[in-house]
Amino acid sequence: RRRNRSTQLRMEMLQAGKTSHTDIVLCYMEDRVDQQFLEKIRNRIQNLQVDALTLNQESLAECLYQGRWWNPFPKFRFSERPDTAAAQVLEGNIIILVDNSPSALITPTSLFDVLEEADDYYFPPITGTYLRLSRLLIAIVTYFLTPTFLLLMEYPQWIPKGFEFIAVRDTVYIPLIWQLLLLELAIDGLKLAAVNTPNMLSTPLSVMAALVLGEFSVKSGWFNSEVMLYMAFVAVANYTQNSLELGYALKFMRIINLVLTAIFGVWGYVGGIVILAVSLLFNRTVSSRSYLYPLVPFHGKQLGHQLFRTR
C-alpha cells in the first residue's frame, strides 16, 4: 500500500483449511486484472477441500494448479521483495499472500517471468539488458554443456577444428556418463550438507570437500579433470537463476539428456532436446496461458520487453 496508493488496489481476504482456517489475501488492481482469471482463482480457493495448508504457499500452489505435476518447470513465481510484488500488481497480475509465509505468490507466470529479476531495473538499461541476456545464455549453456561434451567424446570426429583440446587426454577408468551422474548427485549432497552444517564449520568443511573432490578424486582415477571442470561450471552457474525450482528443472532435463545420449548416441541427444521442448510447450500456467508467451504465441513487441531492459 505504501508503494501503490491507488484506489483501484484491492486486498481480498479469504480462508482455506478445515482445521487451520489459514488466512489468504488476493492482491490485485481492479482496473487491470483479468476478471475471469480472478474469479477462477477465487473460486478455487473458496472450494479447497483440505484440512490445513501445512506447507503454506506450496500447499496452496499444489491445490490451485490442477494439472499434472510431472512437469518440473515452475508454475508459480515466488518473491520476498515488496518492489517485485508491487510491480507485478501494476502489470495486472495477482499476488497471493498466505498467513505465516514470508514470500508472495505471483500468478500467472511464464518462463520469461521466472527468468526476470528485479535487480535488472536497479541498473541503467544497457547494464540491465546485459545481465538479463547473460542470465538467459547461462541457463542455456548449463543445459547443453555436459550432454554436448558427452556426445563429442562418443564421436570425437565431430570435434571442431581448433577445439581438439576439449577431448579427454587421461585414461578413463570410469565411463564418462557415470562420472557425470555421480557428480550431479555429489553436488546436491554438498548443498544439503551445507544447509545443515553449523556456520562456524561451513567454511573449513567446504574447503576440505573442495580439496577431496577436486584434487584427490582426479588423482585417484574416479573422475577426469575435464569432467570436474564442466560440472563445476554447471554447479556454480545454477546460482545465476533466482528460481531454484527452475534450476532443478533444468537439472532434471540435463540428466535425461545425458542418459539418452549415453544409450542412443546422437539420436538420444536429439531426443533429450525434444523432451525439453515438449515440456516447455505443454507446460501451462494457472490461467491456461502458454508457458512460452510471448514467444509462443509470438508477440514481437512484448518479447522485446522481456529480453531487453528498456526505460
Side-chain angles (χ1 to χ4, degrees):
R1 175 64 71 177
R2 294 181 64 183
R3 294 173 181 269
N4 183 359
R5 301 184 182 184
S6 170
T7 56
Q8 296 296 323
L9 181 63
R10 299 287 185 268
M11 303 286 184
E12 183 177 341
M13 179 75 75
L14 302 171
Q15 282 190 342
K18 182 178 179 181
T19 301
S20 64
H21 300 288
T22 304
D23 291 326
I24 301 172
V25 173
L26 297 181
C27 179
Y28 56 91
M29 294 289 290
E30 181 69 29
D31 58 341
R32 303 188 185 188
V33 71
D34 184 340
Q35 294 294 336
Q36 291 184 347
F37 178 56
L38 174 63
E39 185 65 22
K40 179 180 179 180
I41 293 295
R42 183 189 294 119
N43 290 336
R44 287 190 181 181
I45 294 177
Q46 291 175 340
N47 296 326
L48 288 181
Q49 301 296 325
V50 294
D51 184 61
L53 298 180
T54 309
L55 301 178
N56 293 335
Q57 284 185 333
E58 181 60 25
S59 296
L60 180 62
E62 294 181 13
C63 291
L64 290 179
Y65 189 81
Q66 298 180 346
R68 296 181 179 179
W69 282 89
W70 57 264
N71 196 320
F73 286 95
K75 282 75 176 173
F76 299 92
R77 182 181 176 188
F78 300 93
S79 178
E80 297 182 6
R81 301 184 58 150
D83 53 352
T84 298
Q88 292 297 317
V89 168
L90 290 174
E91 291 182 9
N93 294 331
I94 299 175
I95 302 298
I96 303 178
L97 306 175
V98 182
D99 192 19
N100 294 319
S101 179
S103 59
L105 188 154
I106 304 171
T107 186
T109 298
S110 67
L111 176 64
F112 292 98
D113 295 327
V114 177
L115 289 170
E116 192 177 47
E117 285 191 15
D119 288 335
D120 297 345
Y121 294 92
Y122 285 90
F123 292 97
I126 185 66
T127 307
T129 299
Y130 168 75
L131 294 175
R132 185 173 298 179
L133 294 179
S134 297
R135 192 180 307 114
L136 177 61
L137 178 62
I138 291 173
I140 296 174
V141 171
T142 56
Y143 171 77
F144 282 101
L145 182 61
T146 52
T148 304
F149 167 72
L150 181 62
L151 180 67
L152 292 177
M153 293 306 100
E154 292 186 359
Y155 301 91
Q157 66 274 17
W158 292 354
I159 299 178
K161 186 177 181 180
F163 287 87
E164 293 83 0
F165 63 88
I166 68 174
V168 177
R169 300 297 182 184
D170 300 330
T171 304
V172 178
Y173 296 102
I174 297 179
L176 295 179
I177 178 60
W178 289 109
Q179 293 187 39
L180 292 168
L181 294 179
L182 285 173
L183 284 175
E184 290 278 8
L185 181 62
I187 289 171
D188 282 330
L190 290 176
K191 290 180 183 179
L192 295 174
V195 171
N196 297 308
T197 301
N199 292 333
M200 65 179 64
L201 297 177
S202 60
T203 300
L205 288 180
S206 298
V207 173
M208 184 175 65
L211 288 174
V212 171
L213 289 180
E215 183 176 0
F216 300 142
S217 59
V218 172
K219 288 184 177 180
S220 64
W222 274 93
F223 301 104
N224 291 92
S225 56
E226 291 84 0
V227 175
M228 292 289 294
L229 172 64
Y230 299 138
M231 283 306 304
F233 172 82
V234 169
V236 175
N238 278 333
Y239 290 103
T240 61
Q241 302 300 327
N242 186 44
S243 172
L244 289 177
E245 195 173 357
L246 177 61
Y248 275 105
L250 291 175
K251 179 187 182 75
F252 299 148
M253 292 293 125
R254 183 172 62 249
I255 291 176
I256 291 174
N257 198 329
L258 284 171
V259 174
L260 292 177
T261 302
I263 298 175
F264 301 107
V266 63
W267 293 111
Y269 181 82
V270 174
I273 297 176
V274 171
I275 291 176
L276 172 65
V278 170
S279 299
L280 291 172
L281 285 172
F282 288 92
N283 193 27
R284 292 287 173 177
T285 63
V286 182
S287 62
S288 298
R289 189 179 69 179
S290 171
Y291 191 62
L292 293 178
Y293 179 83
L295 183 62
V296 179
F298 183 76
H299 190 294
K301 185 177 180 180
Q302 185 64 27
L303 181 62
H305 286 305
Q306 292 283 7
L307 295 178
F308 302 100
R309 155 81 162 92
T310 57
R311 294 181 61 183

